[in-house]
Amino acid sequence: MEETFQIFNHFAWGFWPGIFVVFSVGFFVGFLASFLGLGGGFIYTPFFHSFFHLTAVQAVAVSLAQMPISALSGLYVYFKNDKIRWKQGFLLLITSIPSAQYSALAFGRFEDTALGKQLYYGIPLSEFVYLFVFTIFVGLLAIYNLFTAFNKRKLYYKSLSLENQNHVVKQESAQTATDSKTNTTSVSHGASEFHFTKQSIFVVLLAGVFFGLFSSLFGVGGGFLAVPLFIYYFRMSPVEAVATSFLGIFLTSFGTTVQFLILGKLHWELALIGSFGGIFGARIGSLKAVKAKPYTILFVTSFFQFLVVTWYLVMKLPKF
């Protein structure tokens, strides 16, 4: 087995601890990915980049390769609970899939060019550009999601207070059951009545371009962009936005994984072990997301985005 999975010998604690850690990280990433709708690459990519010393392209390739399998596990739960908004999801894919394919090809080839290999602050230029852009990108999104989460929390409790004031005492017991489902039902009626306009079609198609771009460049699945778009532009509930984003993550990451495999950038052994853990994590994460309060998903997203940014700032940037 060690001959086939030699990459695990590069782990600092040895072969079998490497297997266990990758499986555990896969479980954790699968849980967060299906709970947040973000693909999990914001943890996976830095992890393989730091602990297995993969190049930026290789880390992104492994991150994307574990997404299709774990995504299927989460999508099944969302499908059973009718949380996927198919029209918006498939419209997003029209531009996200070609964008992801093109950027994966360009990103993979740039690493092997003379310019990409040129040392800058002691590391190849391709690595430096990736670290710099990734850190800024995730940091800005973390700040944005944090402020948004506070606003949603305030609105949630304000609406809860108004509901309690407008109901008589004899209706309180029935309202308690309704309140527990507020996060999953409050916006779904609006989503079912959604009608496309020229403006909304253009917005989704444009977002699809960046969805695919960020997916193949950072291995983040594109949910960083899609989830806020679905929540604030299409007025979906957070869990519906996550479920619809997950549909795009599954199809986009599958095509991009094939592209990286053709380019010879994919360590499939890491992706395979991570995927096994991700299957179980994604199932649990999607079950939790269905029952989560509207603002919880955004708070958790922001926390882990800040965590990843701090990791890169502390562990990577001081070495330049």
Side-chain angles (χ1 to χ4, degrees), residues 49 116-129 131 316-320:
H49 193 216
K117 294 179 179 179
Q118 181 177 331
L119 294 181
Y120 194 75
Y121 284 96
I123 62 174
L125 180 61
S126 59
E127 297 284 312
F128 178 81
V129 171
L131 287 172
K316 289 291 184 180
L317 293 183
K319 297 180 181 180
F320 292 163

Side-chain angles (χ1 to χ4, degrees), residues 231-242:
I231 290 175
Y232 305 115
Y233 189 80
F234 292 106
R235 304 300 179 186
M236 295 183 191
S237 69
V239 68
E240 290 171 342
V242 168

Side-chain angles (χ1 to χ4, degrees), residues 45 56 60 107 126-134 217-218 312:
T45 302
V60 168
F107 186 34
S126 59
E127 297 284 312
F128 178 81
V129 171
Y130 169 80
L131 287 172
F132 182 77
V133 176
F134 183 92
L217 286 182
F218 301 129
Y312 263 155

Side-chain angles (χ1 to χ4, degrees), residues 4-79:
T4 306
F5 292 77
Q6 291 184 11
I7 186 66
F8 288 97
N9 289 315
H10 296 172
F11 189 67
W13 299 338
F15 181 84
W16 289 107
I19 294 280
F20 176 77
V21 169
V22 171
F23 180 88
S24 301
V25 171
F27 177 89
F28 182 63
V29 166
F31 176 87
L32 289 180
S34 60
F35 186 78
L36 307 177
L38 302 178
F42 68 105
I43 291 179
Y44 242 143
T45 302
F47 171 76
F48 287 119
H49 193 216
S50 301
F51 291 97
F52 283 88
H53 310 293
L54 302 187
T55 66
V57 175
Q58 291 171 337
V60 168
V62 174
S63 174
L64 287 172
Q66 57 81 36
M67 292 180 191
I69 298 177
S70 58
L72 273 179
S73 179
L75 277 174
Y76 175 72
V77 175
Y78 290 130
F79 175 75

Side-chain angles (χ1 to χ4, degrees), residues 123-182:
I123 62 174
L125 180 61
S126 59
E127 297 284 312
F128 178 81
V129 171
Y130 169 80
L131 287 172
F132 182 77
V133 176
F134 183 92
T135 303
I136 292 180
F137 171 68
V138 176
L140 290 175
L141 285 171
I143 295 172
Y144 176 76
N145 284 325
L146 181 62
F147 280 101
T148 302
F150 277 116
N151 288 334
K152 275 197 166 292
R153 183 177 183 274
K154 181 179 179 181
L155 292 173
Y156 175 79
Y157 283 106
K158 183 178 180 180
S159 63
L160 204 62
S161 176
L162 290 174
E163 287 179 1
N164 290 333
Q165 293 176 10
N166 293 332
H167 286 78
V168 294
V169 175
K170 65 180 180 180
Q171 294 176 316
E172 288 181 353
S173 59
Q175 186 61 36
T176 301
T178 303
D179 289 341
S180 65
K181 300 178 181 179
T182 298

